[in-house]
Amino acid sequence: MKCTVCKGPAVIDVRRHNANFCADHFLKLVRDQVGKAIKDFAMLTRDDRALVAVSGGKDSLAVWDILLELGYAADGLYLGLGIGDYSDASGEMARSFASSRGLRLIEVDLPTDHGFDIPTGAKAARRVPCSACGLSKRHLFDEAARTGGYDVVVTGHNLDDEAAVLFGNVLHWQTDYLGRQLPVLPARHGFPRKVKPLVRLGEREMAAYCVLRGIDYIVEECPMADGNKHLGYKEALNAIEATSPGTKHDFYFGFLARASDRFTPDAETEQSNLGACSRCGAPTTGEVCAFCRLAERATAIPVALGREGGAR
Ligand code: Q46
Ligand code: ZN
Ligand code: ZN
């Protein structure tokens, strides 16, 4: 297998591009794809202060690394979700990446700072863990970006993630979500801008990028992901991609180019109903935001468990 660019020995094939790459040209491809996404969707400027949501996984560490390589100013934010050994190991990865490169990593710990963890919160709110987790992450990213004076929150969502979310939203015709499924969400109602610079790159490419750059990341999946519908959607799309390379890209970018603005009104109706949470000030459609409601129920749980324990 030869590099399509320089004819040297290739280390990876990218079927979507119908091309093979040596290490140097693959790293260049990745940076070019991120540069193109940033430019095409006006994600970042050189003056922006960016905060990268870092999970310790390949995508978030890679996007942080790539932004720095491309000359953007970016700090990291790690959220401790209290998911047992998984959180301990992922926190370690994020910390060692930051310290080995002399980068600033802000840490927020859900159990220490808010008194509950994701497994407890999900149980208390009768939500599936990923739903409690997702809303907590969104809230805490926003809060950290606002208090730290950052212009933009960067996440490591890649093409596989976005195509799977789109697939799920289409299967269930979640039109308000479809109206918001963009690689850039502008700042409004106190939310910082949110950007996804990896939308032109797949999961396999991000893993290869980390290996070639010597980035150590947490390989194991979150133990709470079992039953997560997105994993099923990803598998279904992988099966299609295997026989028709480029389908995920066409599905997602075709949606952005030709369909997404048809759903903007649905998303805007929800946005226009936003007020401020009476407890924390975060934007919400209700009186109290979903995170404050979750925190209230979750922190009530130890008392209930104590009573149960006493009765036994
Ligand atoms: S961390 Fe949280 Fe993910 Fe774990 S509980 Fe689900 S959403 S799977 S990216
Ligand atoms: Zn080459
Ligand atoms: Zn609130």
Side-chain angles (χ1 to χ4, degrees), residues 235-249:
E235 278 170 23
L237 290 175
N238 284 344
I240 299 170
E241 184 80 13
T243 51
S244 314
T247 302
K248 277 182 215 174
H249 177 278

Side-chain angles (χ1 to χ4, degrees), residues 5-222:
V5 185
C6 70
K7 308 298 173 212
V11 295
I12 185 168
D13 63 317
V14 182
R15 290 180 66 204
R16 188 170 76 255
H17 291 291
N18 195 21
N20 309 317
F21 298 95
C22 68
D24 285 351
H25 285 117
F26 178 70
L27 294 176
K28 180 175 183 312
L29 170 88
V30 170
R31 288 180 197 126
D32 288 351
Q33 293 294 327
V34 171
K36 181 166 168 48
I38 291 174
K39 183 164 163 272
D40 288 354
F41 298 106
M43 290 183 179
L44 289 169
T45 69
R46 299 281 165 193
D47 299 329
D48 279 334
R49 286 187 69 221
L51 185 62
V52 181
V54 181
S55 69
K58 61 185 186 323
D59 304 299
S60 57
L61 292 177
V63 76
W64 197 5
D65 186 63
I66 297 164
L67 291 185
L68 296 169
E69 287 282 308
L70 292 176
Y72 292 96
D75 293 339
L77 168 66
Y78 175 75
L79 299 181
L81 300 166
I83 306 178
D85 295 347
Y86 171 78
S87 285
D88 297 341
S90 58
E92 262 320 298
M93 292 295 180
R95 271 172 228 124
S96 73
F97 178 88
S99 64
S100 67
R101 289 161 168 81
L103 303 174
R104 175 157 193 244
L105 181 71
I106 299 169
E107 292 201 43
V108 175
D109 190 62
L110 196 57
T112 312
D113 302 332
H114 295 274
F116 70 99
D117 56 29
I118 290 300
T120 313
K123 220 179 281 168
R126 297 210 170 93
R127 282 174 175 266
V128 289
C130 292
S131 149
C133 184
L135 83 83
S136 301
K137 287 198 274 198
R138 279 192 295 278
H139 180 90
L140 297 170
F141 292 160
D142 286 345
E143 194 176 75
R146 271 199 309 234
T147 49
Y150 290 93
D151 303 294
V152 53
V153 170
V154 177
T155 58
H157 294 100
N158 60 41
L159 177 60
D160 293 59
D161 297 322
E162 293 305 293
V165 171
L166 175 60
F167 192 38
N169 287 341
V170 168
L171 286 177
H172 301 289
W173 292 115
Q174 305 264 37
T175 55
D176 51 341
Y177 290 166
L178 285 169
R180 270 184 280 143
Q181 208 196 330
L182 300 168
V184 177
L185 290 178
R188 55 182 157 181
H189 298 298
F191 286 112
R193 185 177 356 127
K194 305 230 174 79
V195 304
K196 301 171 182 174
L198 299 185
V199 286
R200 300 186 60 85
L201 292 155
E203 212 140 81
R204 181 169 161 267
E205 287 126 58
M206 296 331 297
Y209 179 87
C210 287
V211 171
L212 292 172
R213 289 281 295 162
I215 297 172
D216 223 0
Y217 62 90
I218 183 157
V219 178
E220 70 198 57
E221 292 281 343
C222 168

Side-chain angles (χ1 to χ4, degrees), residues 281-304:
T284 175
T285 47
E287 153 87 19
V288 176
C289 78
F291 179 78
C292 286
R293 278 183 277 134
L294 173 68
E296 184 181 48
R297 295 171 108 179
T299 47
I301 249 203
V303 179

Side-chain angles (χ1 to χ4, degrees), residues 252-270:
Y252 179 64
F253 285 93
F255 164 76
L256 293 181
R258 294 196 289 279
S260 81
D261 58 2
R262 298 177 193 218
F263 300 101
T264 312
D266 290 56
E268 275 176 353
T269 311
E270 203 191 297

